[in-house]
mmCIF file of all heavy atoms in Angstrom:
data_model
loop_
_atom_site.group_PDB
_atom_site.id
_atom_site.type_symbol
_atom_site.label_atom_id
_atom_site.label_comp_id
_atom_site.label_asym_id
_atom_site.label_seq_id
_atom_site.Cartn_x
_atom_site.Cartn_y
_atom_site.Cartn_z
ATOM 1 N N LEU A 81 -2.295 24.980 3.210
ATOM 2 C CA LEU A 81 -3.314 24.173 2.582
ATOM 3 C C LEU A 81 -4.490 23.941 3.579
ATOM 4 O O LEU A 81 -4.571 22.959 4.346
ATOM 5 C CB LEU A 81 -2.803 22.921 2.086
ATOM 6 C CG LEU A 81 -1.578 23.044 1.057
ATOM 7 C CD1 LEU A 81 -0.947 21.664 0.856
ATOM 8 C CD2 LEU A 81 -2.080 23.717 -0.237
ATOM 9 N N SER A 91 -5.952 18.405 -4.197
ATOM 10 C CA SER A 91 -4.788 17.674 -4.388
ATOM 11 C C SER A 91 -5.080 16.115 -4.604
ATOM 12 O O SER A 91 -4.182 15.318 -4.341
ATOM 13 C CB SER A 91 -3.881 17.776 -3.224
ATOM 14 O OG SER A 91 -3.467 19.118 -3.063
ATOM 15 N N HIS A 95 0.325 13.878 -8.649
ATOM 16 C CA HIS A 95 1.141 14.882 -9.220
ATOM 17 C C HIS A 95 2.533 14.973 -8.542
ATOM 18 O O HIS A 95 2.593 14.295 -7.305
ATOM 19 C CB HIS A 95 0.484 16.296 -8.904
ATOM 20 C CG HIS A 95 0.317 16.649 -7.506
ATOM 21 N ND1 HIS A 95 -0.769 16.072 -6.819
ATOM 22 C CD2 HIS A 95 0.970 17.497 -6.720
ATOM 23 C CE1 HIS A 95 -0.703 16.568 -5.670
ATOM 24 N NE2 HIS A 95 0.304 17.464 -5.544
ATOM 25 N N ASP A 97 5.246 17.989 -7.099
ATOM 26 C CA ASP A 97 5.048 19.477 -7.010
ATOM 27 C C ASP A 97 5.861 20.205 -7.897
ATOM 28 O O ASP A 97 7.080 20.017 -8.202
ATOM 29 C CB ASP A 97 5.523 19.728 -5.582
ATOM 30 C CG ASP A 97 4.515 19.268 -4.376
ATOM 31 O OD1 ASP A 97 3.456 18.976 -4.657
ATOM 32 O OD2 ASP A 97 5.017 18.935 -3.283
ATOM 33 N N LEU A 110 5.831 18.156 4.423
ATOM 34 C CA LEU A 110 4.495 18.385 4.743
ATOM 35 C C LEU A 110 4.164 18.159 6.113
ATOM 36 O O LEU A 110 4.289 17.077 6.658
ATOM 37 C CB LEU A 110 3.571 17.486 3.872
ATOM 38 C CG LEU A 110 2.086 17.876 3.768
ATOM 39 C CD1 LEU A 110 1.753 19.210 3.204
ATOM 40 C CD2 LEU A 110 1.344 16.800 2.925
ATOM 41 N N THR A 122 -2.699 10.711 2.650
ATOM 42 C CA THR A 122 -1.997 10.906 1.496
ATOM 43 C C THR A 122 -1.251 9.678 0.941
ATOM 44 O O THR A 122 -0.859 8.865 1.807
ATOM 45 C CB THR A 122 -1.055 12.078 1.715
ATOM 46 O OG1 THR A 122 -1.794 13.181 2.340
ATOM 47 C CG2 THR A 122 -0.414 12.468 0.391
ATOM 48 N N TRP A 236 -2.713 10.279 8.598
ATOM 49 C CA TRP A 236 -2.099 11.350 9.452
ATOM 50 C C TRP A 236 -2.555 11.470 10.903
ATOM 51 O O TRP A 236 -3.739 11.273 11.037
ATOM 52 C CB TRP A 236 -2.442 12.765 8.677
ATOM 53 C CG TRP A 236 -1.864 12.931 7.329
ATOM 54 C CD1 TRP A 236 -2.500 12.760 6.006
ATOM 55 C CD2 TRP A 236 -0.532 13.340 7.062
ATOM 56 N NE1 TRP A 236 -1.607 13.036 5.204
ATOM 57 C CE2 TRP A 236 -0.363 13.475 5.648
ATOM 58 C CE3 TRP A 236 0.575 13.692 8.048
ATOM 59 C CZ2 TRP A 236 0.831 13.767 5.029
ATOM 60 C CZ3 TRP A 236 1.831 14.001 7.069
ATOM 61 C CH2 TRP A 236 1.823 14.103 5.727
ATOM 62 N N TRP A 244 9.212 14.170 1.162
ATOM 63 C CA TRP A 244 9.424 13.297 0.002
ATOM 64 C C TRP A 244 10.304 13.864 -0.962
ATOM 65 O O TRP A 244 10.591 15.011 -0.977
ATOM 66 C CB TRP A 244 7.974 12.976 -0.576
ATOM 67 C CG TRP A 244 7.207 14.227 -1.045
ATOM 68 C CD1 TRP A 244 7.393 14.585 -2.318
ATOM 69 C CD2 TRP A 244 6.284 14.967 -0.475
ATOM 70 N NE1 TRP A 244 6.426 15.682 -2.600
ATOM 71 C CE2 TRP A 244 5.732 15.868 -1.412
ATOM 72 C CE3 TRP A 244 5.714 15.015 0.852
ATOM 73 C CZ2 TRP A 244 4.708 16.762 -1.024
ATOM 74 C CZ3 TRP A 244 4.843 15.877 1.259
ATOM 75 C CH2 TRP A 244 4.340 16.750 0.140
ATOM 76 N N HIS A 251 2.360 12.129 -5.539
ATOM 77 C CA HIS A 251 1.463 11.925 -4.496
ATOM 78 C C HIS A 251 0.015 12.355 -4.853
ATOM 79 O O HIS A 251 -0.222 12.921 -5.848
ATOM 80 C CB HIS A 251 2.016 12.620 -3.228
ATOM 81 C CG HIS A 251 2.379 14.172 -3.417
ATOM 82 N ND1 HIS A 251 3.429 14.545 -4.171
ATOM 83 C CD2 HIS A 251 1.619 15.288 -3.098
ATOM 84 C CE1 HIS A 251 3.449 15.884 -4.102
ATOM 85 N NE2 HIS A 251 2.422 16.367 -3.549
ATOM 86 N N ALA A 253 -3.698 13.341 -2.577
ATOM 87 C CA ALA A 253 -4.272 13.366 -1.157
ATOM 88 C C ALA A 253 -5.853 13.150 -1.204
ATOM 89 O O ALA A 253 -6.534 13.654 -2.042
ATOM 90 C CB ALA A 253 -4.138 14.798 -0.737
ATOM 91 N N ARG A 262 -9.313 20.161 7.109
ATOM 92 C CA ARG A 262 -7.889 19.591 7.227
ATOM 93 C C ARG A 262 -6.899 20.730 6.894
ATOM 94 O O ARG A 262 -7.133 21.586 5.861
ATOM 95 C CB ARG A 262 -7.834 18.555 6.139
ATOM 96 C CG ARG A 262 -6.515 17.874 5.934
ATOM 97 C CD ARG A 262 -6.729 16.772 4.859
ATOM 98 N NE ARG A 262 -5.533 15.892 4.634
ATOM 99 C CZ ARG A 262 -4.579 16.041 3.672
ATOM 100 N NH1 ARG A 262 -4.531 17.232 3.052
ATOM 101 N NH2 ARG A 262 -3.625 15.281 3.598
ATOM 102 N N MET A 264 -2.850 21.633 6.343
ATOM 103 C CA MET A 264 -1.420 21.080 6.224
ATOM 104 C C MET A 264 -0.515 22.259 5.872
ATOM 105 O O MET A 264 -1.071 23.293 5.208
ATOM 106 C CB MET A 264 -1.379 20.142 5.056
ATOM 107 C CG MET A 264 -2.389 19.048 5.049
ATOM 108 S SD MET A 264 -2.309 17.881 6.366
ATOM 109 C CE MET A 264 -0.981 16.781 5.777
ATOM 110 N N ARG A 266 3.259 23.236 4.032
ATOM 111 C CA ARG A 266 4.266 22.607 3.165
ATOM 112 C C ARG A 266 5.312 23.584 3.000
ATOM 113 O O ARG A 266 5.088 24.716 2.489
ATOM 114 C CB ARG A 266 3.538 22.209 1.664
ATOM 115 C CG ARG A 266 4.483 21.222 1.072
ATOM 116 C CD ARG A 266 3.875 20.948 -0.296
ATOM 117 N NE ARG A 266 4.267 21.863 -1.359
ATOM 118 C CZ ARG A 266 3.574 21.997 -2.487
ATOM 119 N NH1 ARG A 266 2.594 21.238 -2.724
ATOM 120 N NH2 ARG A 266 3.846 22.841 -3.397
HETATM 121 C C1 SIN B 301 0.331 18.387 -1.692
HETATM 122 O O1 SIN B 301 -0.145 17.935 -2.776
HETATM 123 O O2 SIN B 301 1.500 18.881 -1.794
HETATM 124 C C2 SIN B 301 -0.418 18.192 -0.446
HETATM 125 C C3 SIN B 301 -0.729 16.897 -0.110
HETATM 126 C C4 SIN B 301 -1.646 16.700 1.039
HETATM 127 O O3 SIN B 301 -2.319 17.607 1.339
HETATM 128 O O4 SIN B 301 -1.685 15.626 1.524
#
Side-chain angles (χ1 to χ4, degrees):
L81 300 166
S91 296
H95 64 283
D97 291 333
L110 188 67
T122 307
W236 295 98
W244 63 91
H251 52 285
R262 180 178 184 267
M264 311 296 278
R266 192 181 90 200

